[in-house]
Amino acid sequence: MKSKALAAPYLVWMALFTIVPLAIVAYYAFTDSQTGELTLKNISNLGNYMPILIKSIWLALVSTAICLVIGYPVAYYIANCDEVKQRFLYMLVMLPMCISFLLRTLAWVALTEDTGIINNFIVSLGLEPLPLIRNDGAVVLGMVYNYLPYMIMPLYTVIMKIDRRLVEAAEDLGCSGPQTFKRVILPLSTPGIISGFTMVFVPAVSTFYISQKLGSSGTTLIGDVIESQFKTAYNPNLGAALSLVLMVMIFICVGVTNRFGDDEEVMAP
């Protein structure tokens, strides 16, 4: 009884700031903006934004894959360092997160714009400036930079927990370094890969500020459309419908990854 009583504030918090907002979003998604009557018109209009949704998913997947390719070696290296060095390197990974997300994105604008630091240096060498901003590549770069720590942290935590005796046993049985990594380390670190994938993909697919500052009109993402419906088009009902579909998609993604993560954790021993 005492444990249930202690959980009461958390349940109230969840109800007020999670369940109630989701219910409000669902209400607006299925009501008409003029009459307030129940309707499926907002949901039926989602087909007009399907290309933008697909592009958002694609860029989020590309960003997540790049974060994995960069983050796994970094996490593996940190996990195999001595304790003092681990703390220092982990602090370096976390340090950018102490700076505002907006400032970090604006810093990349200053670096990559046509008259930015990088292009000014290139021009000083007598070369033509490069198109480093207002394209898909710049948006992916912004996502990777901002969300890379979310990939490194769970990978580092999982790799740290791998029993080193299993690695030694594999080596004693004649496995080479690559074979040990493929057959022992990689399978046991799969839960970290799944957690990192979820933590990067979910914010990447719904981002809007990065695409606004580093992208162009051709790199409009679903997050930009949702924001415009609330702030510019003044159609919160359609914005709520888009948000609801995006939330459902994210919940499905999280549920699938958690299911595979649970399976891997069961199979790991």
Side-chain angles (χ1 to χ4, degrees):
M1 293 295 293
K2 291 183 178 180
S3 60
K4 293 182 178 180
L6 292 174
Y10 172 74
L11 295 176
V12 173
W13 178 274
M14 287 290 293
L16 289 177
F17 297 102
T18 302
I19 299 176
V20 172
L22 288 177
I24 294 174
V25 170
Y27 170 78
Y28 274 96
F30 291 101
T31 54
D32 185 83
S33 59
Q34 302 296 327
T35 63
E37 298 178 352
L38 292 177
T39 180
L40 295 176
K41 181 178 67 176
N42 299 316
I43 302 298
S44 63
N45 288 334
L46 297 179
N48 299 329
Y49 302 96
M50 192 56 63
I52 297 178
L53 179 59
I54 293 174
K55 184 170 186 176
S56 301
I57 295 173
W58 169 246
L59 292 182
L61 288 173
V62 171
S63 303
T64 305
I66 295 174
C67 285
L68 177 60
V69 171
I70 298 174
Y72 196 102
V74 173
Y76 184 80
Y77 176 77
I78 296 175
N80 286 279
C81 292
D82 59 80
E83 187 174 350
V84 176
K85 195 173 183 180
Q86 279 185 22
R87 293 177 180 175
F88 175 73
L89 294 176
Y90 192 79
M91 180 195 69
L92 291 181
V93 172
M94 296 289 294
L95 193 59
M97 300 179 66
C98 299
I99 304 173
S100 168
F101 177 86
L102 305 182
L103 292 178
R104 281 182 280 149
T105 305
L106 288 175
W108 275 108
V109 174
L111 285 170
T112 59
E113 63 183 349
D114 296 337
T115 57
I117 297 173
I118 296 177
N119 271 323
N120 281 339
F121 175 74
I122 293 175
V123 171
S124 68
L125 298 177
L127 302 174
E128 291 293 326
L130 299 175
L132 302 176
I133 199 171
R134 291 185 289 276
N135 51 55
D136 291 354
V139 174
V140 170
L141 174 64
M143 290 182 183
V144 170
Y145 173 74
N146 281 291
Y147 302 133
L148 182 59
Y150 297 116
M151 179 66 73
I152 295 176
M153 288 187 294
L155 284 170
Y156 164 76
T157 303
V158 170
I159 295 173
M160 273 289 296
K161 295 179 180 180
I162 295 177
D163 193 340
R164 300 302 167 187
R165 293 174 297 179
L166 297 175
V167 177
E168 295 174 359
E171 293 173 348
D172 291 340
L173 292 172
C175 288
S176 62
Q179 289 176 328
T180 301
F181 175 80
K182 179 180 178 181
R183 298 183 179 182
V184 179
I185 298 175
L186 185 60
L188 293 178
S189 61
T190 301
I193 295 175
I194 293 173
S195 298
F197 176 91
T198 304
M199 292 178 67
V200 173
F201 177 78
V202 169
V205 76
S206 57
T207 190
F208 59 91
Y209 189 77
I210 295 174
S211 55
Q212 290 176 2
K213 294 302 178 181
L214 296 176
S216 65
S217 59
T219 53
T220 300
L221 303 182
I222 194 66
D224 301 313
V225 176
I226 293 173
E227 185 197 28
S228 68
Q229 294 300 320
F230 283 97
K231 291 186 176 181
T232 307
Y234 302 106
N235 190 354
N237 298 76
L238 180 57
L242 291 168
S243 301
L244 185 63
V245 171
L246 189 61
M247 282 191 295
V248 170
M249 185 187 71
I250 290 173
F251 287 153
I252 292 174
C253 175
V254 172
V256 171
T257 53
N258 286 341
R259 176 65 182 272
F260 281 110
D262 293 340
D263 292 342
E264 290 293 338
E265 290 176 0
V266 171
M267 294 171 61

